[in-house]
Every structure is written in structure tokens, then in C-alpha cells.
Amino acid sequence: MLRSDIVRTVTLPLRTLVLGGTRSGKSAFAESLVEGRHPVRYLATGRHDPTDADWVARIDAHRRRRPSQWTTVESSTNLAQALSTSVDGATLVDDVGTWLTGALDDRQAWDLPRGTITPASDALVQAVQHCTTPVVLVSPEVGWGVVPATRSGRLFQDEMGSLNRKLATVCDSVVLVVAGLPLTLKTATMHAPGTVSDTDGPS
């Protein structure tokens, strides 16, 4: 498991966003931030699909990696509500991308105008902003690849990018994980730059 030597000597920030691409090590790094802290609540957003063996294997791999003393709460449909419930200890959310996919599915929004999902996304951001105990969120960085060939792919990329920007604004710490290496983008002592518009070009 990827570990962070820094978090052993400092207090975990109240709100931490961990970004990264597929297989970047972002989940393992996020887990290392809360490892050794008690109690830990794990909010799992992945939905079970018994017809997709590969997806089931991914979920099982995450389960096996978690310490047995962590409390797992299935939160694919009620993530904002779960975050609004005050608990002792730290909370780990893995991940925001699978929550967004489920939210788009629930609202049958894949063919609807962009912004249909905004109220749900904004509710999630507000829940994070008002957290009173440490929370670590894992989210996919989707802005580096080519523009997807399908409308659904472009919609997800746009909505995920917009949500990540909003979460980064309210989080005290933002870390980007690349090839297993964490890069600090924002710390609690840094002032967030001006917000970039959601309409910053076709890419």
C-alpha cells in the first residue's frame, strides 16, 4: 500500500481531495492518509453489477485492502446525506466518479442538457464544505485525455471536471497522484486561486 510519511506527524486537514487517473494509486494514497486513525468510515460509491465480472473483481480488491476495523457504508445514492451525518473519526469517500456515474444513471441524464446533474453535484459540494470531521475524497482526473468520441463520454468528462473544480475550491488540501507519486496542489496554508469558468473552451 502506498503510504504518506507526512501525515504521521501532522493533523489531517479537515477536507482533502485526492485526484488521479486510472490505476494511478490515488485510492491507495487516500487510504494511507486515514490509516492508523480510529475510527474510519468508508463511504463506498460503487454499484454492484453481478453481470460485470471485472467490475466485481475491482470492488472485491478494494474490500480486501481495507482494514477490518473500518466501517463501510454503501453510499452510491445518498453520498451528500451520508457526509452530512456527523461521525467521530475520519471519513474516506471512494470515489466521486462512480457516484457521478450513478447520479447520471438515476436521472437518465446521459442524453439531457449539460447541467442537469448540477443540483446533485452542488449538494455534494455543500455537504463536503460543512463537514466537521476529517474527510478524504478520491476522484478521477479526467482532463488529460483526448475528447471522448461519444456524447456520454464528453458529458461525463465535462461534469466530472466541473465537480472536481468545485470540490477543490472548498477542500483545504488537494493532492494529485501520478504513477503512485503524490503531488501537492493545495495545502491548508495556501489561498485558492480564482475560479476557472466552466465555459473555458471546447476542450
Side-chain angles (χ1 to χ4, degrees):
M1 179 182 291
L2 180 63
R3 300 175 185 275
S4 171
D5 295 330
I6 299 175
V7 298
R8 302 306 179 192
T9 59
V10 299
T11 301
L12 185 66
L14 191 56
R15 293 168 289 265
T16 301
L17 177 64
V18 178
L19 300 167
T22 303
R23 300 299 190 188
S24 62
K26 61 185 182 296
S27 291
F29 176 77
E31 290 165 8
S32 78
L33 294 178
V34 298
E35 185 180 11
R37 302 175 188 272
H38 302 289
V40 173
R41 179 181 60 160
Y42 185 102
L43 301 186
T45 63
R47 301 191 179 191
H48 302 280
D49 181 0
T51 66
D52 189 338
D54 181 69
W55 181 245
V56 170
R58 281 176 177 253
I59 292 177
D60 286 345
H62 278 254
R63 282 176 173 168
R64 289 192 301 270
R65 199 166 62 204
R66 294 174 214 155
S68 59
Q69 65 268 29
W70 289 8
T71 300
T72 298
V73 180
E74 300 294 337
S75 307
S76 59
T77 61
N78 60 342
L79 183 56
Q81 180 181 352
L83 285 169
S84 298
T85 303
S86 181
V87 296
D88 293 329
T91 295
L92 173 60
V93 178
D94 198 358
D95 77 353
V96 178
T98 49
W99 170 83
L100 178 63
T101 298
L104 289 165
D105 285 341
D106 291 342
R107 291 159 181 77
Q108 300 180 340
W110 293 104
D111 294 316
L112 297 179
R114 283 167 172 74
T116 300
I117 201 70
T118 297
S121 295
D122 286 350
L124 175 59
V125 173
Q126 290 174 11
V128 172
Q129 186 174 16
H130 291 103
C131 282
T132 57
T133 55
V135 59
V136 178
L137 304 109
V138 180
S139 191
E141 173 50 57
V142 296
W144 289 341
V146 298
V147 177
T150 64
R151 185 189 188 279
S152 59
R154 293 190 295 272
L155 175 67
F156 179 81
Q157 190 179 62
D158 290 348
E159 297 289 0
M160 191 74 259
S162 176
L163 179 53
N164 280 342
R165 283 199 295 270
K166 293 175 182 178
L167 288 171
T169 298
V170 301
C171 283
D172 307 295
S173 174
V174 181
V175 179
L176 175 66
V177 180
V178 180
L181 302 175
L183 305 171
T184 300
L185 304 182
K186 177 184 178 182
T187 66
T189 59
M190 294 172 60
H191 294 286
T195 303
V196 179
S197 169
D198 284 350
T199 57
D200 56 353
S203 59

